[in-house]
């Protein structure tokens, strides 16, 4: 069997894989990427966060992305009935990027993969990993191409950025369930001809439809808008018919979407994504590191997926370079802990969103500008800034703030009654 020798094998040509491949390649190492699918291919996760821009910049991708003309994103809006909460990244507490993009992922991911190829990193599409054998940190990976031809890749290290494919966790039985409740999304791309009805037609918006059920509205520069409903699987059972009939009934049931999206043309039939949350005990091992969604995918709310993918790969790539140079790397302290810090911070916000805690905070009138800026930083992806109390104390700060707001409003109400 033909065997190819590389320094680093990267599994997956999405944002996680390409960021890692580019940074390691720029350090002078021989890198190869294998990707199971053919690009361009559809994937969800269409809204970036400013923190991801730092990783994309270090990988050398910014100019190529700019050339695609994606919709710029300067913040996000949250809507509940007549209440509005508007976060603008210019107001964030943590210094950093104050804008990013809303992207069609098929085009975005292909742009990253094409750019890394143009740098001299080969990308083998429609190539499936069927086996990996480790000898210390060295490995032999067996892959199979679309014609059924098998070959082997010998590598000094493997970066698994395979996303939902979760190659190494599945091959080595490392998977475990997330502690997040299983949820379901019903979504489509729409031809948004009535976009001008919106106050700010190009802003990403999250709409609270019912307790625990929300809608994403992500406008693209093309005039297409991604729109999806997310909630418990049982919520969707009350709507009969086909997925499209359910989707259109949901659009009609929500005042915010009713007029703008009534009888809207769909680019594709509504699709379902569900039971997406999965994780693993270890994000690394002798000869490999897991990045992006392979570590853990949380939820579509707050658009954390691509940011965690890019930043974990940015961090991992630098550690892999040090490892290849013969330096000692403390993978637990230098990779596992910071990666978990980001994941767990976002997890606290995801849980607070579904519990209604963030409703209390987001839709409070006359919000404290400092607190709003600190929370805005989290929503911008700066979940590693330990100077931010809403990062450092992510597991308690939101609940304390919500309780304070509720008590203050109750006191005010009682005083008005008196």
């Amino acid at each position: 069997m033909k065997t190819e020798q590389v320094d680093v094998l990267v599994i997956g040509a999405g944002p996680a894989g390409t960021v890692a491949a580019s940074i390691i390649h720029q350090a002078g190492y021989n890198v190869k990427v294998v990707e199971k699918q053919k690009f361009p291919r559809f994937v969800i996760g269409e809204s970036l966060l400013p923190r991801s821009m730092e990783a994309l910049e270090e990988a050398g991708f910014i100019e190529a992305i700019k050339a695609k003309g994606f919709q710029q994103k300067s913040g996000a809006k949250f809507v509940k009935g007549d209440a509005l909460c508007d976060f603008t990244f210019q107001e964030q507490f943590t210094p950093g990027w104050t804008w990013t993009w809303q992207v069609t992922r098929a085009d975005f991911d292909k742009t990253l993969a094409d750019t890394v190829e143009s740098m001299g990193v080969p990308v083998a599409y429609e190539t499936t990993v069927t086996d990996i054998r480790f000898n210390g940190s060295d490995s032999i990976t067996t892959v199979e191409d679309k014609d059924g031809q098998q070959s082997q890749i010998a590598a000094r290290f493997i970066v698994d950025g395979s996303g939902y494919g979760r190659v190494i966790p599945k091959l080595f039985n490392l998977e475990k369930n997330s502690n997040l409740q299983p949820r379901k999304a019903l979504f489509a791309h729409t031809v948004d001809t009535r976009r001008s009805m919106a106050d700010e037609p190009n802003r990403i918006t999250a709409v609270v439809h019912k307790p625990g059920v929300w809608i994403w509205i992500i406008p693209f520069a093309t005039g297409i808008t991604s729109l999806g409903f997310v909630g418990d699987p049982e919520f969707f059972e009350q709507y009969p018919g086909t997925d499209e009939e359910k989707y259109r009934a949901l659009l009609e049931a929500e005042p915010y979407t009713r007029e703008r999206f009534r009888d809207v043309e769909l680019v594709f039939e509504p699709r379902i994504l569900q039971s997406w949350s999965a994780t693993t005990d270890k994000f690394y091992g002798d000869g490999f590191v897991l990045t992006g969604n392979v570590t853990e995918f949380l939820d579509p709310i707050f658009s954390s997926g691509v940011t965690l993918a890019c930043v974990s790969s940015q961090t991992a790539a630098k550690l892999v370079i040090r490892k290849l140079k013969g330096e000692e790397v403390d993978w637990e302290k230098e990779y596992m802990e910071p990666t978990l810090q980001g994941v767990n911070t976002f997890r606290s916000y995801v849980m607070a969103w579904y519990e209604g805690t963030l409703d209390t905070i987001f839709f409070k009138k006359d919000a404290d500008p400092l607190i709003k800026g600190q929370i805005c930083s989290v929503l911008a992806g700066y979940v590693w800034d330990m100077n931010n109390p809403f990062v450092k104390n992510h597991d308690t700060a939101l609940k304390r703030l919500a309780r304070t707001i509720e008590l203050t409003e109750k006191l005010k109400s009682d005083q008005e009654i008196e």
Side-chain angles (χ1 to χ4, degrees):
M1 191 182 299
K2 176 187 172 185
T3 301
E4 180 181 0
Q5 180 73 49
V6 299
D7 291 316
V8 179
L9 171 64
V10 175
I11 306 172
T18 51
V19 165
S22 173
I23 293 172
I24 296 168
H25 170 75
Q26 289 178 57
Y29 292 97
N30 182 14
V31 182
K32 183 181 180 69
V33 180
V34 294
E35 166 59 50
K36 185 176 183 178
Q37 295 182 290
K38 181 180 179 180
F39 278 27
R41 54 89 173 94
F42 179 85
V43 66
I44 206 68
E46 300 155 326
S47 180
L48 310 185
L49 301 181
R51 177 58 182 89
S52 65
M53 302 291 275
E54 297 176 19
L56 295 169
E57 183 178 42
E58 185 167 356
F61 294 155
I62 294 291
E63 292 308 313
I65 303 169
K66 278 184 180 177
K68 299 297 292 185
F70 293 120
Q71 176 64 53
Q72 283 202 16
K73 172 185 174 182
S74 58
K77 292 198 299 185
F78 297 85
V79 174
K80 182 179 182 181
D82 295 330
L84 170 69
C85 177
D86 193 350
F87 286 99
T88 302
F89 295 138
Q90 290 278 0
E91 302 169 343
Q92 69 191 28
F93 171 80
T94 306
W97 284 74
T98 57
W99 65 275
T100 183
W101 288 288
Q102 291 151 201
V103 301
T104 47
R105 282 291 300 279
D107 297 323
F108 177 76
D109 288 13
K110 190 171 190 305
T111 299
L112 304 193
D114 288 350
T115 303
V116 85
E117 270 197 296
S118 73
M119 295 174 175
V121 177
V123 180
Y125 293 101
E126 298 179 278
T127 300
T128 302
V129 173
T130 59
D131 183 63
I132 302 174
R133 297 187 183 278
F134 286 99
N135 180 15
S137 59
D138 292 338
S139 60
I140 298 289
T141 298
T142 303
V143 298
E144 186 175 300
D145 67 19
K146 62 179 180 179
D147 299 318
Q149 294 295 313
Q150 289 194 334
S151 60
Q152 292 183 325
I153 303 168
R156 297 169 62 193
F157 209 90
I158 296 175
V159 177
D160 185 351
S162 57
Y164 296 122
R166 304 179 62 76
V167 170
I168 286 179
K170 287 180 178 178
L171 282 177
F172 294 93
N173 297 315
L174 302 177
E175 289 199 293
K176 70 172 189 176
N177 292 328
S178 168
N179 67 345
L180 290 175
Q181 183 176 330
R183 292 189 173 88
K184 174 178 176 177
L186 179 65
F187 64 94
H189 282 181
T190 67
V191 182
D192 194 2
T193 56
R194 302 191 192 100
R195 185 179 290 185
S196 60
M197 292 180 66
D199 294 335
E200 295 175 283
N202 297 323
R203 292 288 298 280
I204 181 173
T205 305
V207 181
V208 178
H209 177 58
K210 292 180 181 296
V213 182
W214 64 280
I215 309 164
W216 78 65
I217 302 174
I218 306 175
F220 303 133
T222 57
I224 301 300
T225 292
S226 178
L227 192 153
F229 288 78
V230 183
D232 293 336
E234 295 78 16
F235 165 77
F236 296 91
E237 294 176 2
Q238 64 187 289
Y239 292 92
T242 65
D243 288 340
E244 180 169 348
E245 288 169 338
K246 292 180 180 181
Y247 186 77
R248 293 193 182 277
L250 284 163
L251 292 175
E252 190 69 22
E254 169 53 49
Y256 192 88
T257 60
R258 185 179 300 141
E259 295 303 321
R260 177 173 164 187
F261 296 99
R262 176 171 287 162
D263 300 322
V264 70
E265 179 185 346
L266 304 183
V267 177
F268 53 75
E269 291 290 310
R271 301 180 184 183
I272 291 173
L273 180 66
Q274 60 185 341
S275 301
W276 48 67
S277 297
T279 187
T280 182
D281 283 322
K282 284 285 186 182
F283 298 169
Y284 65 91
D286 196 5
F288 72 87
V289 63
L290 311 178
T291 67
N293 290 348
V294 190
T295 60
E296 180 165 5
F297 178 74
L298 294 169
D299 195 89
I301 191 65
F302 308 131
S303 308
S304 62
V306 175
T307 294
L308 291 172
C310 290
V311 177
S312 63
S313 287
Q314 180 187 29
T315 303
K318 294 174 183 178
L319 296 175
V320 171
I321 291 165
R322 284 176 46 202
K323 176 73 174 176
L324 294 177
K325 288 179 178 178
E327 297 179 24
E328 285 293 323
V329 175
D330 186 339
W331 288 97
E332 185 70 23
K333 190 169 187 61
E334 297 181 74
Y335 185 70
M336 185 82 180
E337 289 181 10
T339 302
L340 275 176
Q341 163 64 36
V343 170
N344 287 336
T345 300
F346 272 123
R347 188 199 315 277
S348 292
Y349 280 72
V350 169
M351 294 174 73
W353 171 257
Y354 285 104
E355 291 166 355
T357 303
L358 287 182
D359 281 14
T360 302
I361 296 169
F362 283 3
F363 302 114
K364 178 187 182 298
K365 294 179 181 178
D366 304 319
D368 182 298
L370 175 60
I371 291 175
K372 188 174 181 182
Q374 290 167 337
I375 292 174
C376 183
S377 286
V378 174
L379 304 187
Y382 288 95
V383 291
W384 293 273
D385 179 8
M386 301 305 282
N387 293 316
N388 184 346
F390 286 89
V391 171
K392 185 176 181 180
N393 305 311
H394 61 84
D395 54 341
T396 58
L398 293 174
K399 291 179 181 178
R400 282 203 308 266
L401 176 58
R403 282 198 299 269
T404 300
I405 292 170
E406 289 167 347
L407 288 170
T408 302
E409 291 183 350
K410 183 179 185 303
L411 181 61
K412 186 187 297 183
S413 176
D414 291 345
Q415 289 173 342
E416 289 174 355
I417 292 172
E418 292 173 1

